[in-house]
Amino acid sequence: MSKKTGEPKGKSNDVDRKRDKVKQLSFGDIKLLAGMVRGYIPPAVLAPLFVVIEVIMEVLIPREMGALVDEGIAVGNMTAVATHGGIMVAYAVIALVSGALSARFAAVASMGFAKNLRAAMFENIQHFSFGNIDKFSTGSLVTRMTTDVTFIRNAFATCIRVAFRAPLMFAMSIAIAIDINWRIALIFVAAAPVLGAGLAGAGMIAFPLFKKMFRRFDRMNTVVQENLIGIRVVKAFVKEPHETEKFRNAAEEVKKTQVAAERLFVYGQPLMQLLMFGCLIAVVWLGGREIISGSTTMTMGDLASFITYVNQILMSLLMVAMILVNLVLSSASASRVSEVLKEKPEIDDSAAKTKELPADGSIVFKNVGFRYKNSEKETISNLNLKIASGETVGILGGTGSAKSTLVQLIPRLYDVTEGVVEVGGQNVKEYSVKALREAVGMVLQKNVLFSGTIRDNLKWGSEEASDEELLAACRTASADFVESFPDGLDTDLGQGGVNLSGGQKQRLCIARAILKKPKIMILDDSTSAVDTHTDADIRAALKKELRGMTVLIIAQRVSSVKDADKILVMENGRIIGEGRHEELYYGCPEYRNVCELQNVSAEA
Amino acid sequence: MRTKTFKTRKNSDDYKEISSLRPENPLKTFRAIFSFMKKYVPHIVFALVGGIINVGGMLGGTVLLRELLEIVEESILTGMATGELLALLTEKALIMGAIYIAGALGGMLSMRLLLTVSTGTLYTIRTEMFEKMEKLPIAYFDRRTHGEIMSRYTTDTDALREMISNGIPNIVSSVLTITGVFILMMVFSPLLTLFVIGMLVVMLIAVTVIGKKGSVHFLSQQTGIARANGYIEEYVEGQKVVQVFCHEEKTKEGFRKLNEALCRSETLAQTYAQILMPIMGNLSYLNYVVTAIAGAAMIAHGQLEGGAPLLISFLTLSRQFSMPLTQISQQFNGIMTALAGAERIMKLLEEEPENDSGYVTLVNAEKGADGITESDKRTGHWAWKHYHKATDSTTYAEWKGKIEFECVNFSYEPSKPVLKEVSFTAEPGSKIALVGSTGAGKTTITNLLNRFYEVEDGKIRYDDINIRKIVKEDLRRSMAMVLQDVHLFTGTIRENIRYGREDATDEEVLAAASLANADEFINTLPDGYDTVLTADGSNLSEGQRQLLSIARAAAADPPVLVLDEATSSVDSATERLIEEGMDRLMKGRTVFIIAHRLSTVRNADVILVIEGGRIIERGSHDELLLKRGRYYDLYTGAFELS
């Protein structure tokens, strides 16, 4: 199938990649994303609120534990054990309930946030013009809606729970620890910077290593991808061992960087554990000394609660580190997502004067110039053209002659950068986009059918069409093979219509456009996979069934356009020949050249 | 799209979405994964030892903690000489430190070894998967989307990696911890342990109930994700069509429904996953209180020997249950997903490779007075090397390039025959044009020729040798293909041309490029032959890519050529370049060409008109025109608009 799109394929990808690097998350982006919480503000507020309650309880519990030991166990006072135990149970129950509630609210809020985010992106993308779409590649749009949204959602969930939990837990635990015994609490003051520095250092070493690892993963996956699409080439040239070797090297590289990157965790994690236990020993040793020497009021119970605080303090520090990693990871995603959200559809109804459909299918180009974004030179310059309603017009021209671009200006898939395009005697910008496109049927070069039945797909053309009408349109488009399918119109097309051959898909796409009964029908190289005979059948049927419709046919085969009322020969964005077949054959050397190559004679 | 694709599994998709998340036979899969780890058995054993040391260190620390506390308590109770106690305290603290250090070292050892095991195992699995994939018949690729096969390397392998490097080690260390804690508790006080067990049962029930519910929602979440992502992919891909048909609102509505459903199941799944932590954490406090009260009562009745210090350490111990239990239940979903993925990987590994029982090889040959002799160099002559088992002798037969189809029947799917009784002979050096409408079976004939697919019935002979007897590699090496869909590989232009023959010299590459008419555009590129192609050569135009694929075939310089002419999308000037290149390439070789251009057809020695899988007409251009049959219709039809 032809691989062309309106402009070179690689370019938009490159632009996209460059963008990814340059863009930084701005305050406006964060505000935009924060707005996506709408509808979920109560849970988003309640989640951290309950986190606060949970943390307060969790910090108070070890204190009660201490009291329970000191006033109860140590002195054998059962009532004290029962009272403090009772308080502890009460605390634990409150902590449990608020913990569970905060988990629930956080889930509701973050998933709702993700839902809003996906919906907003999807809806905005639906209104993207072709220009907008070209700017992002479709692949990158899909990634932005899936992977990136997941990253942001996780960051959001972290923000409303852990980001409250960790600092609060840290502050309160430290405060109570200082209150119990400030000298011993100094241990934490000493340990915290060590931990912090360790984490920062590890992060600094790990970050580039992980980036390298992801690049290597990409490279390895590229090998697989290429082998999947080119498997016939690989086999035809007996390159299996060569490719396997290539993959083996790529996988080896992945393995090496992975070991290098993860080694940090291997050594880091036990060290972290050690630091925690070191603090524990220090606490018990120092505390023990104080108790034994009786120099302070330090008690057994104090010691017991201190032991628990060791855990809480260091864990909360770890959590802070995790939050930072999470936020850094998601900030790239956030800027990629907000880029999509901020993108303004280039084409809208701002200049619309009427909701009426165009009066007829006449088309006029007046001094039209067009330039793709990011491209320096004009693709179409100073082009004038008149097509009367009901005419059939063929367009021929080499790759890059701007045939597709020309016709895409008619239904405003792109807007002209200079001059005016008129349909039905009125500037296309003065119609509402909906009305204009209602009147212009177009079969694109890249045929897409959607999953669902053939009927579902055809009904895109006309919602109310009866089965007879659907089948009639199929017959017009030489797509009557539908009737030979056991399930007929109910035949299920997989994603992208994989069950059909290229030619069959093209014909169904034409039938779908016919059902729209448009005033102007544009066929952009849409019969390339159909044999010449069928191609001719389709054109004849179109003419017969849809009288009065203006038809524009872009083709590579002269035979496809030879009997048109008018043929346009295009080169480098200009019309270099205009007329009937015979006129051009003798009047336009380029046209004649093509005819001779394709063995077409002068007779019409 | 012209490459034939047959998807038969589509109908069962809904069922598949769910079932693909759970393994069918976890035990078997486990064993299969383990077979990849065999060479790491010593690693695993030492990692386990390290893990035990790690857990032992932690628990040993707790025992020491108790002793430390006992010393402290003793000072309170007895008021012993403080100096002696302080020395004892320091001594025990040092021992405790040493134990923790040993534990940490054990942890390091175990994690480092496991890193080697996990990365090594995945490396092995990946490369074996790729190696296997390269050996699979084309039919395998026809029946699956690229995305589906790709996910074996990405999603499924990732899940497996997560399981090997995180899931299983976590579970093992959790189980070790639970066992260790339990043993210690029994040693400390069997009676108190009973209370803990009671609480433990409550915790276990909580874990199972929540885990089970969570599992259900996790599955529906995964399904929801798959559905939503599929929709996103499809409609973002087809957005231009949506716009042309003003279908934006309908499309949005469809997404809204999926998005709502996904949000619901995600919220539930997330709730159950997150709720476990606070519940288990706080249950362990309840446990603490219950045990504390029981312990205090026991001390009061003089039934707890160790007194308060023992109780304190016991209580610290009892809290260590909740973490590993939570861990295990949190790993469950991940491990199940990983096993399901591993099962799919194993299925790929178990696929039947292309069968090749051929024994006749094609060798470079020299023709001398005493017949044909084998040569190590490229001589421009080839010979079939035939080894006869019965007589243990080798004979050589000259390569001529004659190809014969004899009553060949073939179908991609059992009930739909594609070729019926196809017979023809291509004489050495002749040009065979295959003509017919889309789906008539032209491509299939070439696919059978190089054994992309095996004939069902009938025979294909190459210089009178059944092609099944020829070693597949040699068969394919003897013919170059220029396919309609051009595929290039990441690398320089030079490397891509050399893809045809690795040992081609730079001069030969240049010669091939100029024969294919590709040198002109290559020289205009800033880096010339060293221009790096990315993403299937997307930085080149369609026509340039076709020229390169011709150059690639020219570099291979094979005796037989299979050409599939491209239909459209190339401008006339480039088209002429391509045609010239192809013409030069065809000289002196046996050529099969799927023709779309009449100029090509006219120059063919034999034209086969194929319709509905049968050869309905054959002969030269002139002969066929005289027949006034299907060929005549096709030929004239192209000129006429009726």
Side-chain angles (χ1 to χ4, degrees):
Chain A
M1 203 90 319
S2 74
K3 288 238 164 61
K4 287 185 309 174
T5 49
E7 61 170 338
K9 202 166 144 200
K11 205 185 247 167
S12 55
N13 280 333
D14 283 347
V15 171
D16 220 40
R17 224 168 289 139
K18 248 180 252 153
R19 250 160 218 291
D20 285 356
K21 270 186 198 155
V22 185
K23 277 279 158 90
Q24 278 291 324
L25 196 62
S26 73
F27 181 70
D29 293 342
I30 295 173
K31 231 171 87 183
L32 181 70
L33 292 176
M36 293 298 152
V37 188
R38 60 165 192 263
Y40 294 93
I41 293 176
V45 173
L46 287 172
L49 204 70
F50 279 107
V51 165
V52 171
I53 298 176
E54 188 195 4
V55 170
I56 294 175
M57 291 305 130
E58 278 182 27
V59 176
L60 289 179
I61 285 172
R63 254 222 131 140
E64 276 322 298
M65 269 196 227
L68 187 140
V69 170
D70 277 342
E71 297 162 25
I73 297 171
V75 291
N77 180 347
M78 270 312 281
T79 30
V81 169
T83 341
H84 289 295
I87 297 172
M88 245 183 97
V89 169
Y91 284 168
V93 169
I94 296 173
L96 189 151
V97 172
S98 15
L101 281 175
S102 83
R104 169 68 189 166
F105 286 130
V108 172
S110 57
M111 295 306 161
F113 170 77
K115 183 191 81 180
N116 284 343
L117 206 53
R118 277 192 301 262
M121 286 173 86
F122 191 82
E123 296 189 1
N124 203 31
I125 291 171
Q126 285 310 309
H127 292 290
F128 274 12
S129 68
F130 279 27
N132 296 123
I133 283 270
D134 293 343
K135 200 162 116 192
F136 307 95
S137 66
T138 50
S140 112
L141 282 178
V142 172
T143 321
R144 285 167 204 234
M145 282 198 67
T146 52
T147 323
D148 285 339
V149 168
T150 308
F151 268 121
I152 299 173
R153 182 196 73 195
N154 290 346
F156 178 77
T158 312
C159 275
I160 58 173
R161 279 190 81 204
V162 193
F164 280 85
R165 183 189 180 86
L168 189 66
M169 174 88 100
F170 182 74
M172 287 190 66
S173 303
I174 288 268
I176 296 184
I178 290 174
D179 181 48
I180 294 175
N181 187 324
W182 64 271
R183 279 177 311 274
I184 298 178
L186 281 177
I187 295 168
F188 300 126
V189 180
V194 174
L195 190 65
L199 285 172
M204 245 135 66
I205 304 169
F207 203 62
L209 277 173
F210 273 95
K211 257 168 70 184
K212 193 168 160 193
M213 185 175 91
F214 287 125
R215 268 204 307 279
R216 300 236 159 122
F217 261 114
D218 278 350
R219 212 175 299 160
M220 182 177 76
N221 289 340
T222 307
V223 178
V224 180
Q225 200 101 47
E226 284 188 344
N227 270 268
L228 284 173
I229 52 174
I231 188 71
R232 281 159 201 267
V233 180
V234 173
K235 286 193 176 281
F237 286 106
V238 198
K239 286 296 206 178
E240 295 96 328
H242 169 86
E243 292 297 323
T244 307
E245 192 52 41
K246 212 155 87 183
F247 181 83
R248 201 181 285 278
N249 288 337
E252 181 83 46
E253 294 280 292
V254 165
K255 183 175 116 176
K256 270 192 210 142
T257 38
Q258 199 167 18
V259 170
E262 289 191 7
R263 206 155 42 192
L264 276 164
F265 287 96
V266 167
Y267 298 128
Q269 200 177 316
L271 280 178
M272 204 84 95
Q273 236 186 11
L274 203 57
L275 186 71
M276 231 165 84
F277 288 133
C279 283
L280 184 69
I281 297 172
V283 164
V284 178
W285 185 71
L286 279 176
R289 277 179 73 93
E290 286 198 6
I291 296 173
I292 293 170
S293 55
S295 58
T296 55
T297 52
M298 183 84 179
T299 63
M300 269 299 265
D302 290 344
L303 202 53
S305 24
F306 240 107
I307 292 169
T308 316
Y309 288 124
V310 171
N311 245 315
Q312 286 186 350
I313 288 168
L314 295 174
M315 285 304 272
S316 56
L317 269 179
L318 264 180
M319 268 191 264
V320 171
M322 261 170 49
I323 295 169
L324 291 180
V325 170
N326 232 321
L327 288 182
V328 168
L329 275 179
S330 63
S331 76
S333 294
S335 68
R336 283 153 55 86
V337 164
S338 66
E339 209 183 343
V340 175
L341 291 173
K342 279 189 301 190
E343 182 80 15
K344 290 259 179 310
E346 282 168 6
I347 288 169
D348 54 32
D349 285 343
S350 57
K353 286 185 180 160
T354 170
K355 289 212 156 127
E356 297 292 304
L357 294 186
D360 59 39
S362 66
I363 303 164
V364 179
F365 280 66
K366 281 185 191 158
N367 303 322
V368 167
F370 177 77
R371 191 159 45 83
Y372 282 107
K373 262 196 188 155
N374 310 318
S375 136
E376 278 143 37
K377 71 177 203 329
E378 281 198 316
T379 309
I380 290 176
S381 42
N382 198 25
L383 187 137
N384 286 288
L385 174 65
K386 258 198 180 108
I387 296 169
S389 187
E391 263 188 323
T392 298
V393 178
I395 305 175
L396 276 179
T399 322
S401 63
K403 304 176 300 254
S404 295
T405 312
L406 179 82
V407 295
Q408 288 180 348
L409 296 175
I410 299 169
R412 286 187 77 197
L413 296 174
Y414 292 98
D415 263 345
V416 294
T417 36
E418 241 163 88
V420 174
V421 176
E422 287 179 2
V423 166
Q426 206 170 352
N427 188 335
V428 285
K429 290 188 186 171
E430 289 170 6
Y431 296 107
S432 72
V433 175
K434 197 163 161 34
L436 178 70
R437 290 188 184 154
E438 208 65 59
V440 182
M442 184 157 183
V443 183
L444 296 165
Q445 224 172 26
K446 193 172 186 296
N447 296 289
V448 185
L449 294 169
F450 295 90
S451 46
T453 62
I454 291 184
R455 181 185 286 107
D456 295 341
N457 271 284
L458 291 177
K459 282 208 165 171
W460 277 50
S462 159
E463 210 55 55
E464 305 85 37
S466 66
D467 279 10
E468 286 74 53
E469 287 173 284
L470 296 181
L471 289 172
C474 284
R475 276 193 289 275
T476 309
S478 281
D480 34 3
F481 54 83
V482 171
E483 286 166 273
S484 72
F485 288 166
D487 295 329
L489 288 169
D490 291 317
T491 306
D492 194 24
L493 306 172
Q495 200 180 345
V498 281
N499 293 322
L500 301 172
S501 77
Q504 287 176 323
K505 278 204 287 184
Q506 289 189 329
R507 283 178 270 169
L508 278 182
C509 288
I510 295 174
R512 182 171 63 182
I514 289 172
L515 280 158
K516 252 176 97 172
K517 298 210 178 68
K519 296 201 157 78
I520 301 172
M521 169 79 97
I522 302 169
L523 302 172
D524 187 356
D525 203 9
S526 40
T527 51
S528 56
V530 175
D531 58 82
T532 47
H533 220 79
T534 316
D535 186 21
D537 287 347
I538 296 172
R539 263 175 291 120
L542 270 182
K543 234 179 166 179
K544 210 175 98 202
E545 298 296 325
L546 297 156
R547 275 177 204 288
M549 182 174 69
T550 312
V551 182
L552 271 66
I553 301 170
I554 295 182
Q556 303 287 347
R557 291 191 282 234
V558 177
S559 63
S560 303
V561 299
K562 203 167 132 264
D563 70 336
D565 299 318
K566 187 192 278 175
I567 299 167
L568 307 175
V569 185
M570 295 198 62
E571 197 178 273
N572 294 326
R574 287 174 309 117
I575 297 174
I576 55 162
E578 183 175 344
R580 300 186 70 89
H581 170 67
E582 211 178 340
E583 295 160 26
L584 287 171
Y585 191 84
Y586 294 111
C588 174
E590 286 82 2
Y591 183 75
R592 179 156 187 171
N593 207 348
V594 178
C595 287
E596 277 167 359
L597 273 170
Q598 298 186 11
N599 223 323
V600 178
S601 62
E603 302 92 57
Chain B
M1 230 47 42
R2 300 245 323 181
T3 40
K4 319 273 162 167
T5 42
F6 297 92
K7 320 270 163 189
T8 45
R9 357 143 257 118
K10 281 287 161 193
N11 301 337
S12 56
D13 256 13
D14 278 347
Y15 156 76
K16 252 190 82 168
E17 273 171 23
I18 312 277
S19 73
S20 65
L21 297 168
R22 284 283 182 257
E24 283 160 20
N25 191 346
L27 226 75
K28 185 182 157 214
T29 311
F30 237 2
R31 268 203 299 272
I33 297 171
F34 191 75
S35 71
F36 283 100
M37 297 188 186
K38 268 205 187 112
K39 70 171 169 180
Y40 294 113
V41 168
H43 287 73
I44 295 172
V45 170
F46 281 109
L48 201 62
V49 171
I52 292 172
I53 293 175
N54 184 253
V55 172
M58 250 169 54
L59 297 176
T62 316
V63 177
L64 257 295
L65 181 68
R66 177 186 141 197
E67 289 184 18
L68 277 173
L69 291 176
E70 267 171 358
I71 295 168
V72 175
E73 199 197 26
E74 218 161 292
S75 82
I76 297 172
L77 294 181
T78 62
M80 251 172 76
T82 48
E84 203 177 310
L85 276 178
L86 281 179
L88 198 60
L89 187 74
T90 310
E91 187 197 319
K92 292 282 181 188
L94 286 175
I95 297 174
M96 192 169 161
I99 288 176
Y100 278 142
I101 289 175
L105 287 176
M108 276 187 198
L109 173 78
S110 143
M111 283 173 70
R112 180 67 189 84
L113 288 172
L114 283 176
L115 182 61
T116 306
V117 174
S118 68
T119 51
T121 307
L122 282 162
Y123 169 78
T124 318
I125 289 179
R126 279 195 190 107
T127 47
E128 286 209 12
M129 206 156 62
F130 191 87
E131 212 165 327
K132 185 56 177 256
M133 183 180 89
E134 293 289 292
K135 285 186 189 135
L136 292 176
I138 298 284
Y140 180 86
F141 299 91
D142 289 343
R143 285 195 208 97
R144 286 161 185 83
T145 60
H146 293 165
E148 190 187 336
I149 303 177
M150 197 66 210
S151 67
R152 295 299 96 79
Y153 292 90
T154 52
T155 327
D156 291 344
T157 321
D158 278 347
L160 194 58
R161 184 182 66 86
E162 181 60 27
M163 178 179 98
I164 296 178
S165 63
N166 260 329
I168 295 181
N170 259 334
I171 286 194
V172 170
S173 100
S174 294
V175 169
L176 282 179
T177 310
I178 291 177
T179 321
V181 167
F182 192 76
I183 293 172
L184 263 190
M185 288 204 312
M186 288 298 280
V187 173
F188 278 17
S189 162
L191 201 60
L192 266 182
T193 311
L194 279 179
F195 285 96
V196 178
I197 290 176
M199 217 45 215
L200 193 67
V201 172
V202 176
M203 283 174 155
L204 269 177
I205 291 170
V207 162
T208 7
V209 169
I210 296 172
K212 241 188 208 149
K213 288 241 173 172
S215 252
V216 173
H217 295 296
F218 175 78
L219 288 183
S220 72
Q221 176 196 9
Q222 295 304 100
T223 318
I225 290 175
R227 287 215 179 110
N229 286 1
Y231 193 89
I232 291 172
E233 234 161 90
E234 188 173 3
Y235 283 89
V236 169
E237 197 77 43
Q239 197 261 5
K240 292 188 173 186
V241 176
V242 173
Q243 292 225 322
V244 168
F245 284 92
C246 296
H247 236 253
E248 292 94 334
E249 293 308 320
K250 280 255 154 55
T251 308
K252 279 195 242 170
E253 188 50 44
F255 185 66
R256 214 165 289 148
K257 275 186 206 139
L258 284 175
N259 200 14
E260 286 290 343
L262 172 60
C263 178
R264 267 196 303 277
S265 61
E266 261 188 335
T267 305
L268 282 169
Q270 195 64 15
T271 304
Y272 281 109
Q274 294 298 325
I275 223 166
L276 203 60
M277 218 43 145
I279 289 183
M280 295 297 283
N282 287 304
L283 276 182
S284 82
Y285 282 123
L286 285 184
N287 174 27
Y288 189 99
V289 174
V290 171
T291 322
I293 292 172
M298 281 165 70
I299 294 175
H301 290 90
Q303 278 176 328
L304 198 65
E305 247 175 62
L310 183 132
L311 186 57
I312 293 174
S313 339
F314 189 91
L315 289 173
T316 315
L317 261 183
S318 72
R319 289 210 58 217
Q320 285 173 0
F321 261 129
S322 79
M323 263 306 262
L325 266 182
T326 318
Q327 285 263 9
I328 291 177
S329 88
Q330 281 179 338
Q331 296 292 345
F332 179 78
N333 277 326
I335 287 187
M336 281 302 144
T337 316
L339 281 178
E343 213 161 76
R344 288 190 289 270
I345 291 176
M346 296 313 156
K347 263 194 197 125
L348 181 123
L349 291 174
E350 283 161 14
E351 283 287 334
E352 273 302 307
E354 266 187 293
N355 75 321
D356 185 6
S357 50
Y359 54 89
V360 177
T361 54
L362 189 65
V363 295
N364 282 307
E366 259 166 309
K367 237 158 99 178
D370 47 345
I372 300 164
T373 49
E374 203 175 328
S375 165
D376 317 328
K377 295 191 298 280
R378 269 183 90 81
T379 54
H381 295 285
W382 290 271
W384 297 110
K385 184 179 179 181
H386 227 112
Y387 175 74
H388 305 277
K389 213 174 189 175
T391 55
D392 189 25
S393 62
T394 308
T395 55
Y396 292 91
E398 194 189 350
W399 175 86
K400 293 194 187 77
K402 181 175 131 191
I403 285 167
E404 247 179 307
F405 272 58
E406 190 188 302
C407 269
V408 170
N409 288 307
F410 178 76
S411 63
Y412 293 101
E413 283 172 281
S415 57
K416 293 184 189 158
V418 177
L419 292 185
K420 297 166 203 155
E421 312 262 312
V422 170
S423 300
F424 65 86
T425 305
E427 292 301 331
S430 67
K431 204 199 256 185
I432 312 290
L434 306 171
V435 176
S437 51
T438 322
K442 295 167 301 196
T443 312
T444 308
I445 291 182
T446 63
N447 280 342
L448 293 180
L449 197 55
N450 58 12
R451 289 181 70 195
F452 276 176
Y453 304 91
E454 302 288 347
V455 293
E456 240 155 56
D457 204 10
K459 279 187 185 119
I460 302 175
R461 292 205 187 84
Y462 192 163
D463 286 338
D464 297 322
I465 306 164
N466 186 337
I467 57 167
R468 278 173 183 270
K469 292 187 187 161
I470 301 172
V471 173
K472 230 173 202 174
E473 282 178 26
D474 286 16
L475 175 74
R476 287 181 183 161
R477 246 187 222 124
S478 81
M479 35 183 103
M481 297 194 99
V482 178
L483 299 171
Q484 197 184 36
D485 294 318
V486 176
H487 293 297
L488 301 167
F489 295 84
T490 303
T492 63
I493 287 191
R494 195 189 310 279
E495 282 162 5
N496 267 287
I497 296 177
R498 203 169 266 155
Y499 206 78
R501 185 158 61 86
E502 228 142 295
D503 56 359
T505 62
D506 278 0
E507 288 73 43
E508 284 171 313
V509 169
L510 287 180
S514 79
L515 181 135
N517 265 339
D519 55 341
E520 204 176 300
F521 92 81
I522 297 172
N523 286 328
T524 63
L525 298 171
D527 294 326
Y529 284 83
D530 296 314
T531 306
V532 175
L533 304 181
T534 51
D536 203 9
S538 65
N539 38 356
L540 298 179
S541 79
E542 187 72 9
Q544 291 170 335
R545 298 172 70 239
Q546 269 169 16
L547 290 175
L548 271 191
S549 90
I550 297 170
R552 181 167 65 186
D557 191 22
V560 175
L561 199 59
V562 177
L563 297 175
D564 194 345
E565 266 187 350
T567 32
S568 60
S569 67
V570 177
D571 61 279
S572 300
T574 314
E575 185 169 317
R576 196 170 338 160
L577 287 179
I578 293 172
E579 239 168 82
E580 273 175 23
M582 282 205 178
D583 284 343
R584 268 183 246 156
L585 184 60
M586 286 191 266
K587 248 176 221 132
R589 306 176 206 269
T590 309
V591 179
F592 286 84
I593 183 157
I594 297 172
H596 298 286
R597 291 186 191 84
L598 289 153
S599 56
T600 324
V601 185
R602 268 200 309 244
N603 296 332
D605 297 302
V606 181
I607 298 164
L608 303 176
V609 182
I610 299 158
E611 209 54 65
R614 284 180 200 281
I615 300 178
I616 55 166
E617 281 173 35
R618 65 181 81 204
S620 71
H621 175 70
D622 294 334
E623 288 164 14
L624 287 177
L625 278 190
L626 279 175
K627 261 192 195 159
R628 301 233 152 198
R630 179 77 176 132
Y631 181 76
Y632 179 84
D633 284 347
L634 275 174
Y635 185 74
T636 50
F639 299 150
E640 246 171 31
L641 292 179
S642 47

